[in-house]
Amino acid sequence: MASADEDVQRLRNHIGNLEAELASLKRRLTKAESPAIAENEETTSLSEQSAILPNQAKPVPEQGKLGPATARDSPRWPLLQDEYKRYGRQMITPEVGLQGQLRLKGSSVLIVGIGGLGCPAAAYLAGAGVGTLGLVDGDTVETSNLHRQVLHNTRRVGMSKVDSATEFLQDLNPNIKYNLHHEHLTAYTAPAILAQYDLILDCTDHPKSRYLISDAAVLLGKPLVSASALRTEGQLMTLNNPPNPPGDLSGGPCYRCIFPKPPPAESVVSCGDGGILGPVVGVMGVLQALEGMRLITAGLHSTVETNGFKNEPQEQLQVPALLLFSAYGSPQFRSVRLRSRRPHCIACSKSATVTLKSLLSGSLDYAQFCGALQPQNLLRRNERISAEDFQALRRKPGSQYTLVDVREKVQFDICHLDGSVNVPFSDLMAGKALPRPTTAETKSVEPAWLHQSNDLNTPIYFVCRLGNDSQMAVRKLKEAGLDNGGNRYIGDVKGGFKAWKASHINKVV
């Protein structure tokens, strides 16, 4: 039975991928035919009939397209009475108007990642009246999410993020369609999912997913709004806009054009490691929603307005730029113009090697490309001690040792092990906390944090969050000669505080 279910799912995925490829071909055909269509298209103006809003109206045609909202065969009032009330405040702005609202209603947007970025982005797009909103996330709500992921709440801890967000959004606006994708995107599933939408918002937090989403967006001809945030800073850029086919240098740059090579895996810092202010990531998510609304209401690919007037392209939407935000900077916002498409980009150039076939075949390993960080093993086995063994050492009467916590001071102040001393890893790497050399005739002066012990052979143990920085600290101290010619033991607590917590023996003050 399980085998049959797997076959059914495999066939469904295959059909979805074929549909994605078909959608891409149809888009290219539409683009090729658009000059002739625009030349022969007849438009009609709205007739002046009743001034009373009806309770019902015909649905907006071509729900899945970002093109012009046509008025052909439209009633005098193309929106429902409730929609005029709900969206009236934004419709009276010249940048939106009735045309823009119809485009919002006829559009579909996919939000990948329902976290700190995706929550505010989803709320504002749902509130603005986007016709279809797709939500992608495979995670569940955790307590640590709640200070910044504003669609979730304490009651929904442990619930799927997609389900939690949908509950909030349906209360906010029950008039739009919500598509739920309870999964993390993969190279195999991304094309079938992205093909269903007009615009993509990348609200993820890792280079691996950003490269994947960008590649799929280029192949399917979808504009992409990407943002990120860490600590007190954020950045936003619109990619693949206009979404011209690979090889067309007039199209917008993709993520690979801006970042041809991923950052070193060890330099990628998550919110869990580096921290994040809720309002900072909230600002970036709101800006993603705003950029999405600008693109939709401007009428992507449209050359003719509903009333027959030409829709001249808005140049400011076509210039690729990187928006930088710093909560404690002055000024807080800066904009940097981005390069155009790279002539030899592997995703969007004429010689592109990233194709739907390579994506679906699994030959593109995004984890390997981005160098997924694995636990480091820099030390020998006898230079490391397990969390359980170190706890036993702490309980042993008369045991002498120095425990050095190499996390940054702000983390040390929140919690630390009793009796430990804080020497930030950044200070160690900068040489600020190493032994100070004197002259050739005298020995080096031990750092101040070791003055608590007069025994040059007292063991030193290092601990950090995951057990990586602590290993590098051991190496650094041994290279500086603090092991007293091998007479002093210097090692680390394997797995750091994560292992300490998992062992259920932690007593942190």
Side-chain angles (χ1 to χ4, degrees):
M1 186 65 182
S3 178
D5 290 342
E6 291 176 0
D7 289 341
V8 170
Q9 187 59 45
R10 191 178 298 109
L11 287 170
R12 286 176 176 169
N13 289 338
H14 185 57
I15 291 171
N17 292 325
L18 291 176
E19 289 176 343
E21 188 169 3
L22 178 60
S24 177
L25 292 173
K26 285 182 177 180
R27 179 191 59 79
R28 294 172 63 181
L29 177 61
T30 301
K31 180 177 174 60
E33 294 175 341
S34 59
I37 295 174
E39 184 177 343
N40 296 312
E41 185 177 19
E42 296 180 358
T43 59
T44 59
S45 60
L46 293 173
S47 60
E48 296 294 334
Q49 296 178 357
S50 171
I52 301 175
L53 296 178
N55 288 324
Q56 298 292 332
K58 290 177 66 177
V60 176
E62 298 186 5
Q63 281 281 335
K65 297 185 178 180
L66 279 179
T70 177
R72 184 184 293 123
D73 300 326
S74 299
R76 173 67 181 87
W77 305 106
L79 296 173
L80 302 178
Q81 181 175 356
D82 175 70
E83 291 175 319
Y84 283 98
K85 293 179 180 179
R86 183 180 290 268
Y87 310 127
R89 296 299 189 273
Q90 69 188 30
M91 287 172 61
I92 60 177
T93 62
E95 291 80 6
V96 178
L98 178 60
Q99 301 298 330
Q101 193 61 51
L102 290 173
R103 287 184 178 134
L104 285 168
K105 185 174 181 178
S107 68
S108 57
V109 180
L110 179 69
I111 299 178
V112 186
I114 314 301
L117 294 168
C119 283
Y124 277 99
L125 288 174
V130 165
T132 301
L133 200 58
L135 308 175
V136 178
D137 204 307
D139 289 337
T140 57
V141 179
E142 299 178 1
T143 303
S144 62
N145 302 149
L146 300 182
H147 81 286
R148 66 192 187 280
Q149 300 181 14
V150 293
L151 299 190
H152 313 308
N153 60 42
T154 304
R155 180 177 58 84
R156 296 203 283 265
V157 169
M159 180 185 292
S160 159
K161 284 188 177 181
V162 167
D163 292 337
S164 172
T166 304
E167 281 192 20
F168 181 101
L169 296 172
Q170 286 178 331
D171 287 340
L172 175 66
N173 191 347
N175 299 328
I176 68 177
K177 180 182 178 182
Y178 299 98
N179 293 336
L180 313 186
H181 306 276
H182 300 84
E183 58 187 287
H184 295 294
L185 284 186
T186 66
Y188 190 71
T189 61
I193 293 177
L194 269 64
Q196 304 172 44
Y197 301 90
D198 305 312
L199 178 67
I200 314 300
L201 267 60
D202 181 357
C203 300
T204 61
D205 61 357
H206 196 277
K208 178 178 68 174
S209 55
R210 294 189 188 120
Y211 280 105
L212 167 60
I213 294 168
S214 175
D215 289 348
V218 168
L219 293 171
L220 297 170
K222 311 292 182 179
L224 170 65
V225 181
S226 177
S228 62
L230 183 67
R231 299 189 178 100
T232 61
E233 299 179 341
Q235 63 182 36
L236 175 140
M237 54 188 170
T238 300
L239 303 170
N240 198 41
N241 180 47
N244 296 342
D248 187 342
L249 294 180
S250 66
C254 70
Y255 195 80
R256 290 183 186 270
C257 292
I258 311 302
F259 304 107
K261 294 182 179 180
E266 61 273 11
S267 70
V268 177
V269 181
S270 68
C271 292
D273 293 327
I276 182 66
L277 291 188
V280 170
V281 70
V283 165
M284 303 315 298
V286 169
L287 288 174
Q288 280 186 283
L290 176 59
E291 184 67 7
M293 289 182 64
R294 289 209 315 150
L295 292 171
I296 294 169
T297 57
L300 292 178
H301 312 306
S302 61
T303 57
V304 181
E305 286 284 0
T306 302
N307 56 14
F309 291 102
K310 290 289 183 180
N311 176 29
E312 298 298 332
Q314 299 186 33
E315 292 299 328
Q316 67 269 27
L317 297 181
Q318 305 297 321
V319 178
L322 174 67
L323 180 66
L324 302 173
F325 171 67
S326 176
Y328 291 87
S330 181
Q332 289 184 314
F333 287 95
R334 292 185 298 122
S335 182
V336 179
R337 185 163 181 166
L338 295 176
R339 62 161 299 128
S340 57
R341 283 186 172 179
R342 289 182 179 271
H344 302 292
C345 175
I346 67 170
C348 66
S349 71
K350 185 179 295 187
S351 56
T353 57
V354 177
T355 64
L356 275 176
K357 183 177 180 180
S358 64
L359 208 62
L360 298 174
S361 67
S363 61
L364 294 173
D365 190 333
Y366 288 89
Q368 183 181 29
F369 173 70
C370 294
L373 185 62
Q374 300 296 329
Q376 298 186 48
N377 290 296
L378 303 178
L379 305 178
R380 297 187 299 272
R381 181 175 297 181
N382 62 355
E383 293 177 296
R384 314 197 72 184
I385 185 172
S386 68
E388 293 83 357
D389 289 344
F390 185 69
Q391 176 66 359
L393 176 64
R394 283 166 58 86
R395 291 173 175 172
K396 186 177 180 181
S399 59
Q400 296 290 322
Y401 60 86
T402 298
L403 176 60
V404 182
D405 188 331
V406 298
R407 295 174 301 154
E408 296 303 310
K409 184 178 184 301
V410 64
Q411 299 180 37
F412 181 84
D413 288 344
I414 295 172
C415 68
H416 57 268
L417 292 176
D418 227 354
S420 59
V421 57
N422 182 221
V423 182
F425 181 73
S426 57
D427 288 351
L428 280 173
M429 293 299 103
K432 298 177 182 179
L434 296 177
R436 300 191 307 274
T438 52
T439 65
E441 293 78 19
T442 60
K443 293 184 178 180
S444 61
V445 178
E446 291 195 339
W449 51 269
L450 268 180
H451 286 176
Q452 57 182 306
S453 173
N454 293 323
D455 187 353
L456 296 178
N457 294 328
T458 299
I460 302 174
Y461 295 93
F462 287 88
V463 66
C464 66
R465 183 170 177 266
L466 299 174
N468 292 328
D469 290 349
S470 58
Q471 293 185 70
M472 298 177 67
V474 170
R475 282 279 186 87
K476 197 77 173 178
L477 268 293
K478 286 192 172 184
E479 291 171 359
L482 207 63
D483 62 346
N484 195 21
N487 294 317
R488 168 188 273 158
Y489 177 85
I490 300 180
D492 87 315
V493 179
K494 187 175 182 180
F497 279 100
K498 184 176 181 180
W500 187 270
K501 180 181 178 181
S503 65
H504 301 290
I505 55 176
N506 53 310
K507 292 183 179 180
V508 183
V509 296

